Amino acid sequence: MVDLPVITRHKTHGVKVRNVTVGGGAPIVVQSMTNTDTADVEASTYQIKDLYYAGSEIVRVTVNNDDAAKGLIKTREILDAEGLDIPLVGCFHYNGHTLLSDYPELCQALDNYRINPGNVGFGKKRDPQFEIMIEKAIEYDKSVRIGVNWGSLDQDLSTKLMDENAQLDKPRTSDAVMRETLVQSAIISAEKAIVMGMRPDQIILSAKVSRVQDLIAVYRELAKRCNYALHLGLTEAGMNSKGVVATALGEGILLQDGIGDTIRASLTPEPGGDRTLEVRVCREILQSLGLRSFTPEVSACPGCGRTTSTYFQELAQDIQRYLDLQMPKWVKTHPGVETMKVAVMGCIVNGPGESKHADIGISLPGTGESPVAPVFIDGKKAQTLRGDNIAGEFQGIVETYVKTRFIAGKQDAA
């Protein structure tokens, strides 16, 4: 008997970010970040809502100057007026202490302050400026994400660890020292915040790198040394399939280890591309690992010489689009529908078997096969479709199945 591996989540403190809990055993949270000019209220508000409706449960926004601070305050007002309780994270660098001090409304509008210890300030200014941001978080009862990044390491700590490493009989590589700097910088900064009066359940840590193996090594070490909630993200992951694959590998391996309480896919969009892709990638990572369910899964074979033209591909695409369109309504009226498994297969080799394994499936005729499409429901053959409207008929069968299988109260009773 082959059993599936059990994912045991790393125990962390639960952090409230407005209406969302990060860590503490709560479901892993999907995050995203806008790429609009925050001072452009209309564009930023539109993109925040776009990301939210795509499934982002927390949205991070750049706050880099006075106009951005004013814009964010206005955006929060618009979202509140529309009844959109979307958690917003303010991403600060260099001048966050000034902006939070100058704009009390900004302190209140944000639900989490992202602080980078590597560039919060330099020399003698670093600690006082870090302290101002922590004091504001305490004053307004907000959480913080202490986010270190290998592109902006704490140079004092890095130099100290490099010097210590050079004195060893067998010095470690510079990359190893860099990884250690990231881990120590995050934990030391969190400890400073605790001394100032922050609670552990107000702190999220992140350590961003752009290489998969570095990401895995750093977060495994963070998980060993602390119990703060952890945000996963491969920074500068890249474009297209490279960014998607690298993100899925790095975050997926850590999630399988039970490490990570919230995730983001830092993908570079194509010019004019869809920013919500990063949200969809995160959701698909979590659903593929069985950690969360967001939408019914459609299994479809890749096609080969046995399959008839592109018909089954078009049917699979039509079914996926149909499910995506129906889900906003179904999730409100048919609880549990997001766990449904649908199979659209292209020939007799694996078609019937895969369809039986799904909740509902269809096996299309391959090259040279009889022009019929058996439909399987809950592992049993239910009917056979023929003719030119197989796609439409199958969609009708799926809708009927949803209405009869996923009934409010039925899931709890089961």
Side-chain angles (χ1 to χ4, degrees):
M1 187 70 71
V2 179
D3 294 322
L4 287 175
V6 176
I7 298 177
T8 302
R9 296 276 300 280
H10 172 60
K11 291 183 179 180
T12 59
H13 301 283
V15 180
K16 291 294 292 184
V17 183
R18 203 175 183 90
N19 58 351
V20 172
T21 299
V22 176
I28 296 163
V29 175
V30 173
Q31 287 199 41
S32 62
M33 185 174 183
T34 60
N35 62 354
T36 55
D37 180 355
T38 310
D40 185 338
V41 174
E42 182 178 359
S44 296
T45 303
Y46 179 86
Q47 191 174 83
I48 288 169
K49 291 195 287 187
D50 200 29
L51 292 165
Y52 174 72
Y53 288 130
S56 181
E57 294 156 301
I58 295 176
V59 180
R60 185 156 56 107
V61 181
T62 296
V63 188
N64 58 334
N65 54 40
D66 292 287
D67 289 339
K70 295 173 184 175
L72 191 284
I73 293 167
K74 182 61 177 175
T75 293
R76 177 79 271 170
E77 291 174 354
I78 293 171
L79 295 175
D80 287 346
E82 294 182 9
L84 294 173
D85 202 23
I86 305 173
L88 299 179
V89 175
C91 191
F92 295 103
H93 297 283
Y94 308 111
N95 60 349
H97 62 291
T98 300
L99 295 172
L100 289 172
S101 297
D102 290 348
Y103 297 96
E105 302 96 331
L106 177 65
C107 298
Q108 189 59 51
L110 292 169
D111 304 294
N112 178 279
Y113 310 156
R114 194 268 183 158
I115 306 171
N116 184 342
N119 60 26
V120 70
F122 302 97
K124 294 181 179 179
K125 295 181 178 180
R126 182 179 63 241
D127 288 348
Q129 292 176 182
F130 174 84
E131 290 169 4
I132 289 172
M133 298 185 74
I134 296 299
E135 287 169 354
K136 292 298 179 184
I138 294 172
E139 179 181 352
Y140 289 89
D141 195 25
K142 304 292 183 174
S143 61
V144 299
R145 170 152 76 91
I146 296 174
V148 298
N149 192 304
W150 76 340
S152 51
L153 282 173
D154 180 336
Q155 290 304 306
D156 290 342
L157 179 59
S158 178
T159 299
K160 173 179 176 291
L161 294 181
M162 284 289 187
D163 289 344
E164 291 176 356
N165 185 63
Q167 303 302 314
L168 298 175
D169 293 336
K170 294 182 179 180
R172 303 172 72 187
T173 65
S174 59
D175 280 352
V177 178
M178 177 274 294
R179 291 190 291 269
E180 179 64 20
T181 303
L182 286 166
V183 172
Q184 287 199 28
S185 179
I187 294 175
I188 289 171
S189 297
E191 290 172 346
K192 288 180 181 177
I194 294 293
V195 169
M196 291 183 63
M198 288 208 86
R199 305 184 307 272
D201 64 358
Q202 288 178 289
I203 298 173
I204 300 169
L205 298 186
S206 68
K208 296 293 196 70
V209 296
S210 59
R211 295 193 301 237
V212 171
Q213 293 290 3
D214 289 315
L215 186 82
I216 295 167
V218 166
Y219 274 92
R220 282 177 172 170
E221 199 60 32
L222 272 174
K224 287 180 184 177
R225 301 191 199 180
C226 72
N227 292 113
Y228 297 110
L230 298 178
H231 169 77
L232 300 186
L234 189 73
T235 195
E236 295 104 27
M239 298 182 72
N240 302 320
S241 60
K242 183 270 181 187
V244 173
V245 170
T247 297
L249 278 172
E251 295 184 2
I253 289 170
L254 288 167
L255 291 168
Q256 184 68 24
D257 284 348
I259 299 170
D261 302 291
T262 174
I263 65 173
R264 183 198 170 202
S266 300
L267 305 176
T268 304
E270 296 180 358
D274 185 359
R275 188 68 168 179
T276 63
L277 174 62
E278 64 177 61
V279 179
R280 297 198 301 276
V281 168
C282 287
R283 285 162 64 102
E284 287 169 13
I285 289 171
L286 295 175
Q287 183 145 339
S288 295
L289 287 170
L291 292 168
R292 292 187 68 179
S293 294
F294 299 102
T295 188
E297 290 185 7
V298 177
S299 299
C301 66
C304 68
R306 291 177 176 271
T307 54
T308 9
S309 66
T310 60
Y311 184 74
F312 81 95
Q313 297 167 331
E314 293 164 358
L315 178 56
Q317 184 180 61
D318 288 345
I319 290 297
Q320 186 65 69
R321 287 174 177 168
Y322 168 74
L323 294 173
D324 290 342
L325 287 172
Q326 296 300 314
M327 277 305 292
K329 176 180 67 176
W330 281 351
V331 294
K332 296 177 181 178
T333 57
H334 300 287
V337 67
E338 65 277 4
T339 65
M340 182 172 65
K341 303 293 188 295
V342 181
V344 179
M345 305 304 293
C347 79
I348 199 171
V349 173
N350 291 313
E354 289 286 353
S355 296
K356 289 177 182 177
H357 289 309
D359 293 309
I360 183 167
I362 186 169
S363 179
L364 296 168
T367 304
E369 296 176 16
S370 299
V372 296
V375 174
F376 296 83
I377 297 177
D378 294 331
K380 297 179 180 180
K381 184 178 176 180
Q383 64 187 98
T384 300
L385 303 182
R386 297 177 175 84
D388 299 327
N389 191 33
I390 289 177
E393 290 181 34
F394 185 64
Q395 286 183 9
I397 294 170
V398 171
E399 183 158 1
T400 299
Y401 181 78
V402 169
K403 290 179 178 179
T404 55
R405 163 77 186 278
F406 301 99
I407 303 171
K410 184 176 181 180
Q411 302 299 312
D412 295 335

PDB file of all heavy atoms in Angstrom, residues 332-357:
ATOM      1  N   LYS A 332     -21.011  30.425  -4.042  1.00  0.00           N
ATOM      2  CA  LYS A 332     -21.971  30.981  -3.083  1.00  0.00           C
ATOM      3  C   LYS A 332     -23.157  30.047  -2.873  1.00  0.00           C
ATOM      4  O   LYS A 332     -23.764  30.044  -1.797  1.00  0.00           O
ATOM      5  CB  LYS A 332     -22.465  32.340  -3.579  1.00  0.00           C
ATOM      6  CG  LYS A 332     -21.380  33.400  -3.672  1.00  0.00           C
ATOM      7  CD  LYS A 332     -21.935  34.710  -4.247  1.00  0.00           C
ATOM      8  CE  LYS A 332     -20.852  35.759  -4.376  1.00  0.00           C
ATOM      9  NZ  LYS A 332     -21.361  37.020  -4.987  1.00  0.00           N
ATOM     10  N   THR A 333     -23.491  29.285  -3.907  1.00  0.00           N
ATOM     11  CA  THR A 333     -24.707  28.463  -3.835  1.00  0.00           C
ATOM     12  C   THR A 333     -24.450  26.973  -3.731  1.00  0.00           C
ATOM     13  O   THR A 333     -25.345  26.207  -3.365  1.00  0.00           O
ATOM     14  CB  THR A 333     -25.583  28.720  -5.081  1.00  0.00           C
ATOM     15  OG1 THR A 333     -24.808  28.436  -6.258  1.00  0.00           O
ATOM     16  CG2 THR A 333     -26.034  30.174  -5.134  1.00  0.00           C
ATOM     17  N   HIS A 334     -23.232  26.540  -4.043  1.00  0.00           N
ATOM     18  CA  HIS A 334     -22.918  25.109  -4.055  1.00  0.00           C
ATOM     19  C   HIS A 334     -21.581  24.857  -3.335  1.00  0.00           C
ATOM     20  O   HIS A 334     -20.549  24.661  -3.978  1.00  0.00           O
ATOM     21  CB  HIS A 334     -22.863  24.595  -5.492  1.00  0.00           C
ATOM     22  CG  HIS A 334     -24.147  24.773  -6.248  1.00  0.00           C
ATOM     23  ND1 HIS A 334     -25.265  24.004  -6.000  1.00  0.00           N
ATOM     24  CD2 HIS A 334     -24.495  25.645  -7.207  1.00  0.00           C
ATOM     25  CE1 HIS A 334     -26.246  24.395  -6.793  1.00  0.00           C
ATOM     26  NE2 HIS A 334     -25.809  25.387  -7.539  1.00  0.00           N
ATOM     27  N   PRO A 335     -21.582  24.891  -2.011  1.00  0.00           N
ATOM     28  CA  PRO A 335     -20.341  24.702  -1.252  1.00  0.00           C
ATOM     29  C   PRO A 335     -19.672  23.379  -1.556  1.00  0.00           C
ATOM     30  O   PRO A 335     -20.327  22.343  -1.668  1.00  0.00           O
ATOM     31  CB  PRO A 335     -20.808  24.765   0.216  1.00  0.00           C
ATOM     32  CG  PRO A 335     -22.278  24.469   0.169  1.00  0.00           C
ATOM     33  CD  PRO A 335     -22.760  25.024  -1.134  1.00  0.00           C
ATOM     34  N   GLY A 336     -18.338  23.431  -1.725  1.00  0.00           N
ATOM     35  CA  GLY A 336     -17.569  22.240  -2.026  1.00  0.00           C
ATOM     36  C   GLY A 336     -17.317  22.026  -3.495  1.00  0.00           C
ATOM     37  O   GLY A 336     -16.533  21.160  -3.884  1.00  0.00           O
ATOM     38  N   VAL A 337     -17.960  22.841  -4.359  1.00  0.00           N
ATOM     39  CA  VAL A 337     -17.810  22.647  -5.800  1.00  0.00           C
ATOM     40  C   VAL A 337     -16.374  22.849  -6.260  1.00  0.00           C
ATOM     41  O   VAL A 337     -15.939  22.286  -7.267  1.00  0.00           O
ATOM     42  CB  VAL A 337     -18.764  23.596  -6.577  1.00  0.00           C
ATOM     43  CG1 VAL A 337     -18.351  25.049  -6.406  1.00  0.00           C
ATOM     44  CG2 VAL A 337     -18.817  23.212  -8.056  1.00  0.00           C
ATOM     45  N   GLU A 338     -15.605  23.632  -5.489  1.00  0.00           N
ATOM     46  CA  GLU A 338     -14.209  23.889  -5.871  1.00  0.00           C
ATOM     47  C   GLU A 338     -13.348  22.630  -5.818  1.00  0.00           C
ATOM     48  O   GLU A 338     -12.237  22.605  -6.361  1.00  0.00           O
ATOM     49  CB  GLU A 338     -13.602  24.981  -4.992  1.00  0.00           C
ATOM     50  CG  GLU A 338     -13.446  24.644  -3.518  1.00  0.00           C
ATOM     51  CD  GLU A 338     -14.710  24.857  -2.705  1.00  0.00           C
ATOM     52  OE1 GLU A 338     -15.763  25.197  -3.298  1.00  0.00           O
ATOM     53  OE2 GLU A 338     -14.657  24.684  -1.470  1.00  0.00           O
ATOM     54  N   THR A 339     -13.835  21.576  -5.183  1.00  0.00           N
ATOM     55  CA  THR A 339     -13.065  20.327  -5.093  1.00  0.00           C
ATOM     56  C   THR A 339     -13.400  19.356  -6.229  1.00  0.00           C
ATOM     57  O   THR A 339     -12.818  18.278  -6.308  1.00  0.00           O
ATOM     58  CB  THR A 339     -13.334  19.624  -3.751  1.00  0.00           C
ATOM     59  OG1 THR A 339     -14.706  19.216  -3.686  1.00  0.00           O
ATOM     60  CG2 THR A 339     -13.030  20.553  -2.579  1.00  0.00           C
ATOM     61  N   MET A 340     -14.330  19.717  -7.085  1.00  0.00           N
ATOM     62  CA  MET A 340     -14.771  18.815  -8.148  1.00  0.00           C
ATOM     63  C   MET A 340     -13.650  18.532  -9.146  1.00  0.00           C
ATOM     64  O   MET A 340     -12.862  19.402  -9.482  1.00  0.00           O
ATOM     65  CB  MET A 340     -15.968  19.422  -8.883  1.00  0.00           C
ATOM     66  CG  MET A 340     -16.542  18.534  -9.983  1.00  0.00           C
ATOM     67  SD  MET A 340     -18.088  19.196 -10.668  1.00  0.00           S
ATOM     68  CE  MET A 340     -17.513  20.728 -11.437  1.00  0.00           C
ATOM     69  N   LYS A 341     -13.585  17.277  -9.623  1.00  0.00           N
ATOM     70  CA  LYS A 341     -12.601  16.859 -10.615  1.00  0.00           C
ATOM     71  C   LYS A 341     -13.320  16.505 -11.911  1.00  0.00           C
ATOM     72  O   LYS A 341     -14.249  15.701 -11.907  1.00  0.00           O
ATOM     73  CB  LYS A 341     -11.807  15.638 -10.111  1.00  0.00           C
ATOM     74  CG  LYS A 341     -11.100  15.843  -8.776  1.00  0.00           C
ATOM     75  CD  LYS A 341      -9.978  16.862  -8.883  1.00  0.00           C
ATOM     76  CE  LYS A 341      -9.161  16.920  -7.589  1.00  0.00           C
ATOM     77  NZ  LYS A 341      -9.921  17.404  -6.436  1.00  0.00           N
ATOM     78  N   VAL A 342     -12.880  17.121 -13.002  1.00  0.00           N
ATOM     79  CA  VAL A 342     -13.475  16.897 -14.321  1.00  0.00           C
ATOM     80  C   VAL A 342     -12.388  16.373 -15.251  1.00  0.00           C
ATOM     81  O   VAL A 342     -11.266  16.882 -15.244  1.00  0.00           O
ATOM     82  CB  VAL A 342     -14.073  18.202 -14.889  1.00  0.00           C
ATOM     83  CG1 VAL A 342     -14.703  17.957 -16.254  1.00  0.00           C
ATOM     84  CG2 VAL A 342     -15.100  18.790 -13.924  1.00  0.00           C
ATOM     85  N   ALA A 343     -12.712  15.366 -16.056  1.00  0.00           N
ATOM     86  CA  ALA A 343     -11.744  14.805 -17.009  1.00  0.00           C
ATOM     87  C   ALA A 343     -12.281  14.945 -18.427  1.00  0.00           C
ATOM     88  O   ALA A 343     -13.440  14.623 -18.696  1.00  0.00           O
ATOM     89  CB  ALA A 343     -11.468  13.336 -16.698  1.00  0.00           C
ATOM     90  N   VAL A 344     -11.414  15.439 -19.324  1.00  0.00           N
ATOM     91  CA  VAL A 344     -11.745  15.519 -20.751  1.00  0.00           C
ATOM     92  C   VAL A 344     -10.624  14.796 -21.490  1.00  0.00           C
ATOM     93  O   VAL A 344      -9.513  15.305 -21.617  1.00  0.00           O
ATOM     94  CB  VAL A 344     -11.855  16.976 -21.222  1.00  0.00           C
ATOM     95  CG1 VAL A 344     -12.174  17.020 -22.723  1.00  0.00           C
ATOM     96  CG2 VAL A 344     -12.926  17.717 -20.437  1.00  0.00           C
ATOM     97  N   MET A 345     -10.915  13.592 -21.967  1.00  0.00           N
ATOM     98  CA  MET A 345      -9.883  12.743 -22.536  1.00  0.00           C
ATOM     99  C   MET A 345     -10.111  12.535 -24.028  1.00  0.00           C
ATOM    100  O   MET A 345     -11.234  12.649 -24.525  1.00  0.00           O
ATOM    101  CB  MET A 345      -9.856  11.391 -21.814  1.00  0.00           C
ATOM    102  CG  MET A 345      -9.692  11.512 -20.300  1.00  0.00           C
ATOM    103  SD  MET A 345      -8.218  12.450 -19.815  1.00  0.00           S
ATOM    104  CE  MET A 345      -6.935  11.329 -20.387  1.00  0.00           C
ATOM    105  N   GLY A 346      -9.017  12.199 -24.746  1.00  0.00           N
ATOM    106  CA  GLY A 346      -9.064  12.217 -26.198  1.00  0.00           C
ATOM    107  C   GLY A 346      -9.161  10.898 -26.924  1.00  0.00           C
ATOM    108  O   GLY A 346      -9.332  10.886 -28.140  1.00  0.00           O
ATOM    109  N   CYS A 347      -9.043   9.756 -26.240  1.00  0.00           N
ATOM    110  CA  CYS A 347      -9.175   8.482 -26.952  1.00  0.00           C
ATOM    111  C   CYS A 347      -9.431   7.361 -25.953  1.00  0.00           C
ATOM    112  O   CYS A 347      -9.442   7.571 -24.737  1.00  0.00           O
ATOM    113  CB  CYS A 347      -7.941   8.181 -27.816  1.00  0.00           C
ATOM    114  SG  CYS A 347      -6.524   7.530 -26.917  1.00  0.00           S
ATOM    115  N   ILE A 348      -9.551   6.145 -26.456  1.00  0.00           N
ATOM    116  CA  ILE A 348      -9.976   5.004 -25.632  1.00  0.00           C
ATOM    117  C   ILE A 348      -8.867   4.449 -24.740  1.00  0.00           C
ATOM    118  O   ILE A 348      -9.138   3.697 -23.797  1.00  0.00           O
ATOM    119  CB  ILE A 348     -10.532   3.885 -26.542  1.00  0.00           C
ATOM    120  CG1 ILE A 348     -11.395   2.913 -25.723  1.00  0.00           C
ATOM    121  CG2 ILE A 348      -9.394   3.165 -27.279  1.00  0.00           C
ATOM    122  CD1 ILE A 348     -12.153   1.929 -26.588  1.00  0.00           C
ATOM    123  N   VAL A 349      -7.592   4.806 -25.017  1.00  0.00           N
ATOM    124  CA  VAL A 349      -6.483   4.218 -24.265  1.00  0.00           C
ATOM    125  C   VAL A 349      -6.611   4.497 -22.773  1.00  0.00           C
ATOM    126  O   VAL A 349      -6.648   3.588 -21.946  1.00  0.00           O
ATOM    127  CB  VAL A 349      -5.124   4.715 -24.797  1.00  0.00           C
ATOM    128  CG1 VAL A 349      -3.990   4.226 -23.902  1.00  0.00           C
ATOM    129  CG2 VAL A 349      -4.905   4.227 -26.218  1.00  0.00           C
ATOM    130  N   ASN A 350      -6.642   5.772 -22.395  1.00  0.00           N
ATOM    131  CA  ASN A 350      -6.782   6.140 -20.986  1.00  0.00           C
ATOM    132  C   ASN A 350      -8.078   6.876 -20.701  1.00  0.00           C
ATOM    133  O   ASN A 350      -8.371   7.177 -19.541  1.00  0.00           O
ATOM    134  CB  ASN A 350      -5.609   7.030 -20.550  1.00  0.00           C
ATOM    135  CG  ASN A 350      -4.298   6.283 -20.492  1.00  0.00           C
ATOM    136  OD1 ASN A 350      -4.224   5.189 -19.948  1.00  0.00           O
ATOM    137  ND2 ASN A 350      -3.257   6.859 -21.068  1.00  0.00           N
ATOM    138  N   GLY A 351      -8.842   7.188 -21.756  1.00  0.00           N
ATOM    139  CA  GLY A 351     -10.045   7.987 -21.579  1.00  0.00           C
ATOM    140  C   GLY A 351     -11.031   7.446 -20.573  1.00  0.00           C
ATOM    141  O   GLY A 351     -11.364   8.126 -19.587  1.00  0.00           O
ATOM    142  N   PRO A 352     -11.516   6.227 -20.728  1.00  0.00           N
ATOM    143  CA  PRO A 352     -12.492   5.704 -19.768  1.00  0.00           C
ATOM    144  C   PRO A 352     -11.934   5.601 -18.350  1.00  0.00           C
ATOM    145  O   PRO A 352     -12.621   5.929 -17.376  1.00  0.00           O
ATOM    146  CB  PRO A 352     -12.835   4.327 -20.345  1.00  0.00           C
ATOM    147  CG  PRO A 352     -12.572   4.458 -21.814  1.00  0.00           C
ATOM    148  CD  PRO A 352     -11.362   5.344 -21.906  1.00  0.00           C
ATOM    149  N   GLY A 353     -10.684   5.139 -18.232  1.00  0.00           N
ATOM    150  CA  GLY A 353     -10.098   4.980 -16.898  1.00  0.00           C
ATOM    151  C   GLY A 353      -9.953   6.303 -16.175  1.00  0.00           C
ATOM    152  O   GLY A 353     -10.317   6.435 -15.000  1.00  0.00           O
ATOM    153  N   GLU A 354      -9.404   7.324 -16.876  1.00  0.00           N
ATOM    154  CA  GLU A 354      -9.247   8.639 -16.258  1.00  0.00           C
ATOM    155  C   GLU A 354     -10.607   9.244 -15.927  1.00  0.00           C
ATOM    156  O   GLU A 354     -10.782   9.889 -14.894  1.00  0.00           O
ATOM    157  CB  GLU A 354      -8.475   9.569 -17.205  1.00  0.00           C
ATOM    158  CG  GLU A 354      -6.993   9.239 -17.357  1.00  0.00           C
ATOM    159  CD  GLU A 354      -6.189   9.639 -16.140  1.00  0.00           C
ATOM    160  OE1 GLU A 354      -6.745  10.285 -15.227  1.00  0.00           O
ATOM    161  OE2 GLU A 354      -4.992   9.282 -16.086  1.00  0.00           O
ATOM    162  N   SER A 355     -11.575   9.049 -16.809  1.00  0.00           N
ATOM    163  CA  SER A 355     -12.914   9.602 -16.576  1.00  0.00           C
ATOM    164  C   SER A 355     -13.558   8.972 -15.343  1.00  0.00           C
ATOM    165  O   SER A 355     -14.289   9.637 -14.601  1.00  0.00           O
ATOM    166  CB  SER A 355     -13.798   9.377 -17.805  1.00  0.00           C
ATOM    167  OG  SER A 355     -13.285  10.077 -18.925  1.00  0.00           O
ATOM    168  N   LYS A 356     -13.293   7.690 -15.118  1.00  0.00           N
ATOM    169  CA  LYS A 356     -13.836   7.013 -13.936  1.00  0.00           C
ATOM    170  C   LYS A 356     -13.221   7.556 -12.650  1.00  0.00           C
ATOM    171  O   LYS A 356     -13.871   7.568 -11.605  1.00  0.00           O
ATOM    172  CB  LYS A 356     -13.600   5.507 -14.029  1.00  0.00           C
ATOM    173  CG  LYS A 356     -14.448   4.801 -15.080  1.00  0.00           C
ATOM    174  CD  LYS A 356     -14.101   3.327 -15.149  1.00  0.00           C
ATOM    175  CE  LYS A 356     -14.898   2.612 -16.239  1.00  0.00           C
ATOM    176  NZ  LYS A 356     -14.520   1.183 -16.351  1.00  0.00           N
ATOM    177  N   HIS A 357     -11.943   7.976 -12.720  1.00  0.00           N
ATOM    178  CA  HIS A 357     -11.272   8.498 -11.529  1.00  0.00           C
ATOM    179  C   HIS A 357     -11.756   9.901 -11.169  1.00  0.00           C
ATOM    180  O   HIS A 357     -11.596  10.342 -10.031  1.00  0.00           O
ATOM    181  CB  HIS A 357      -9.759   8.520 -11.731  1.00  0.00           C
ATOM    182  CG  HIS A 357      -9.129   7.155 -11.736  1.00  0.00           C
ATOM    183  ND1 HIS A 357      -9.352   6.229 -10.748  1.00  0.00           N
ATOM    184  CD2 HIS A 357      -8.282   6.565 -12.612  1.00  0.00           C
ATOM    185  CE1 HIS A 357      -8.676   5.121 -11.001  1.00  0.00           C
ATOM    186  NE2 HIS A 357      -8.021   5.295 -12.140  1.00  0.00           N
TER     187      HIS A 357
END
